[in-house]
Amino acid sequence: MKKKVVVLDYGSGNLRSAERALARVGADVTVTADPQAALDADGLMVPGVGAFAACMDGLRAVDGPKIIGRRLAGGRPVLGVCVGMQILFEKGVEHGHDAEGCGEWPGVVEPLQAPVLPHMGWNTVEAPADSVLFDGLADQRFYFVHSYGVRDFTLGQDDPTSRLAPPKVTWAEHGDRFVAGVENVALSATQFHPEKSGDAGAQLLTNWLNTL
């Protein structure tokens, strides 16, 4: 049976590109803002482009933070993409102003310290050896378009006594080291666009579908 995936439509993101990319790898895809459909799907993709604060406004308008939280409470997979990853963190800082995020992970989305912005184009990533998302994707390049990122990921890194497995964090560099992906039980995310990353992006989405 095909896995049912909802691409959350909250007014931001490459919805049709995401829909086509997921369909290409065999998912049964629906693009909708309907909360019940988003809760019932096998997987939920949260896209996002543009400003952090504007994306959060759109997400709140469709009860997105509540939908994400309820899915995660039940161990139901969620995949954030680009700004859809960034809004999962505590806050974003743009033009000197703070905006509250979903708070699923501690951390701040802030301007990259790079000589050329935005970071636009293909880049390699540094994934953990036990990554599920990046399985079979060593040395592959992915497509990035962003000027902001998370430069410090602390969750699970400083408590060796915890019985919970720490999140698997993938990194990339563009004048600065930043988080390119996170795998944290049911919650996964990528800073780059898998739907624009050709065969490598298709393999990553396949890897995610196989976890649903």
Side-chain angles (χ1 to χ4, degrees):
M1 290 181 61
K2 287 188 172 184
K3 300 295 186 181
K4 295 184 180 297
V5 177
V6 162
V7 177
L8 189 62
D9 182 1
Y10 64 98
S12 177
N14 301 294
L15 301 176
R16 298 308 164 191
S17 294
E19 179 184 26
R20 287 193 298 269
L22 286 162
R24 173 189 172 192
V25 297
D28 178 0
V29 192
T30 304
V31 178
T32 182
D34 179 68
Q36 197 58 52
L39 287 169
D40 291 343
D42 296 314
L44 177 69
M45 178 188 278
V46 181
V49 295
F52 185 104
C55 283
M56 279 304 304
D57 287 344
L59 197 65
R60 291 189 189 99
V62 300
D63 250 357
K66 182 178 179 181
I67 292 168
I68 293 169
R70 285 185 60 187
R71 283 190 63 89
L72 296 178
R76 308 277 285 168
V78 175
L79 176 66
V81 172
C82 197
V83 183
M85 176 183 106
Q86 295 177 359
I87 52 88
L88 297 170
F89 287 88
E90 284 179 312
K91 70 176 181 177
V93 178
E94 292 182 337
H95 310 297
H97 299 292
D98 291 1
E100 184 180 347
C102 292
E104 296 294 343
W105 293 317
V108 179
V109 180
E110 56 191 342
L112 296 178
Q113 300 299 308
V116 177
L117 291 173
H119 172 212
M120 181 181 297
W122 298 85
N123 203 348
T124 57
V125 301
E126 179 189 334
D130 60 349
S131 168
V132 174
L133 277 187
F134 292 91
D135 184 36
L137 291 170
D139 303 321
Q140 294 297 308
R141 293 179 178 271
F142 300 90
Y143 190 78
F144 291 82
V145 184
H146 64 122
S147 297
Y148 297 81
V150 176
R151 297 156 63 198
D152 189 23
F153 193 99
T154 59
L155 180 64
Q157 309 305 310
D158 53 2
D159 186 5
T161 65
S162 174
R163 290 180 295 176
L164 298 175
K168 300 169 186 175
V169 183
T170 293
W171 298 87
E173 289 192 17
H174 176 71
D176 203 2
R177 194 165 184 259
F178 63 89
V179 174
V182 183
E183 299 161 71
N184 183 201
V185 196
L187 183 58
S188 301
T190 65
Q191 176 61 70
F192 56 83
H193 289 274
E195 77 281 7
K196 294 183 176 181
S197 295
D199 290 342
Q203 182 61 55
L204 183 138
L205 291 175
T206 298
N207 290 345
W208 180 65
L209 283 183
N210 288 340
T211 70
L212 305 186

